[in-house]
């Protein structure tokens, strides 16, 4: 009895994983893939080279080594068109508020690479201070664009 119940649960999980692969628009039990994160990374790699992203991520692997301007330069974002920069901004603005807030900044690197580390509290504060030119505690489109262009 125990064996058949365990086998049944395993079979169900396998079926769910297959459904998850086919239908990525919703969460399926037994699937541990963060499809939103995968979609974001795929969108970014549509116009940023994977090798540049890898170089930028590797350059700031150590805690408290992240520099937004150096990251933008290394990843090649500073050479992109305003439309492409805006696409990145919209990806980073996870809650679609029109601003990149502190909690979104903390996960900044993970938008570029699934296994990247979160920014430390000090890095997140420094990023916010550097980008938030009007002092409202968040980074708007114009502020983000200016920071990218100055890198």
């Amino acid at each position: 009895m125990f064996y058949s119940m365990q086998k049944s649960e395993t079979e169900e999980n396998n079926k769910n994983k297959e459904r998850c692969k086919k239908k990525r628009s919703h969460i399926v039990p037994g699937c541990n893939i963060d499809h939103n994160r995968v979609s974001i990374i795929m969108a970014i790699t549509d116009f940023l080279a994977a090798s540049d992203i890898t170089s930028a991520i590797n350059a700031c692997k150590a805690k408290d080594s992240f520099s937004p301007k150096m990251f933008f330069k290394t990843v090649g974002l500073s050479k992109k068109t305003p439309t492409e920069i805006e696409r990145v901004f919209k990806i980073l603005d996870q809650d679609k508020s029109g601003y990149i807030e502190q909690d979104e900044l903390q996960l900044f690197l993970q938008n570029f690479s699934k296994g990247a580390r979160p920014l430390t509290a000090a890095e997140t504060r420094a990023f916010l201070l550097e980008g938030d030119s009007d002092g409202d505690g968040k980074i708007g489109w114009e502020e983000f664009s200016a920071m990218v262009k100055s890198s």
Side-chain angles (χ1 to χ4, degrees):
M1 173 92 173
F2 176 74
Y3 172 75
S4 67
M5 188 182 338
Q6 189 177 23
K7 183 178 176 186
S8 175
E9 288 175 11
T10 301
E11 287 173 357
E12 185 63 28
N13 279 341
N14 288 338
K15 287 178 188 175
N16 285 337
K17 286 179 183 178
E18 285 304 311
R19 282 189 297 195
C20 184
K21 288 178 186 176
K22 292 177 186 172
K23 293 186 171 191
R24 295 183 172 175
S25 60
H26 68 284
I27 297 171
V28 175
C31 178
N32 60 359
I33 298 170
D34 182 348
H35 293 292
N36 290 334
R37 185 75 51 211
V38 171
S39 296
I40 288 167
I41 292 167
M42 287 172 49
I44 286 179
T45 58
D46 286 348
F47 53 93
L48 293 176
S51 60
D52 291 342
I53 292 170
T54 300
S55 294
I57 294 292
N58 287 338
C60 59
K61 273 191 173 181
K63 290 187 175 190
D64 296 320
S65 65
F66 176 76
S67 162
K69 289 183 179 182
M70 182 57 71
F71 185 87
F72 296 144
K73 184 176 181 180
T74 305
V75 83
L77 190 57
S78 57
K79 296 177 186 171
K80 297 299 177 183
T81 67
T83 302
E84 291 168 320
I85 296 169
E86 185 176 20
R87 283 180 64 192
V88 171
F89 176 82
K90 288 179 177 180
I91 289 168
L92 298 173
D93 177 18
Q94 294 285 309
D95 65 3
K96 307 301 177 207
S97 65
Y99 298 94
I100 304 171
E101 290 107 356
Q102 188 167 347
D103 59 328
E104 293 164 326
L105 287 175
Q106 188 174 10
L107 302 175
F108 177 84
L109 295 176
Q110 294 171 0
N111 289 296
F112 291 86
S113 177
K114 183 179 167 195
R117 69 177 179 85
L119 296 180
T120 65
E123 289 171 320
T124 303
R125 279 191 303 275
F127 194 166
L128 190 58
L129 287 171
E130 190 171 341
D132 179 23
S133 59
D134 64 8
D136 64 355
K138 50 194 173 188
I139 299 173
W141 157 241
E142 290 85 17
E143 294 167 318
F144 182 77
S145 179
M147 188 170 38
V148 169
K149 289 176 185 174
S150 71
S151 57

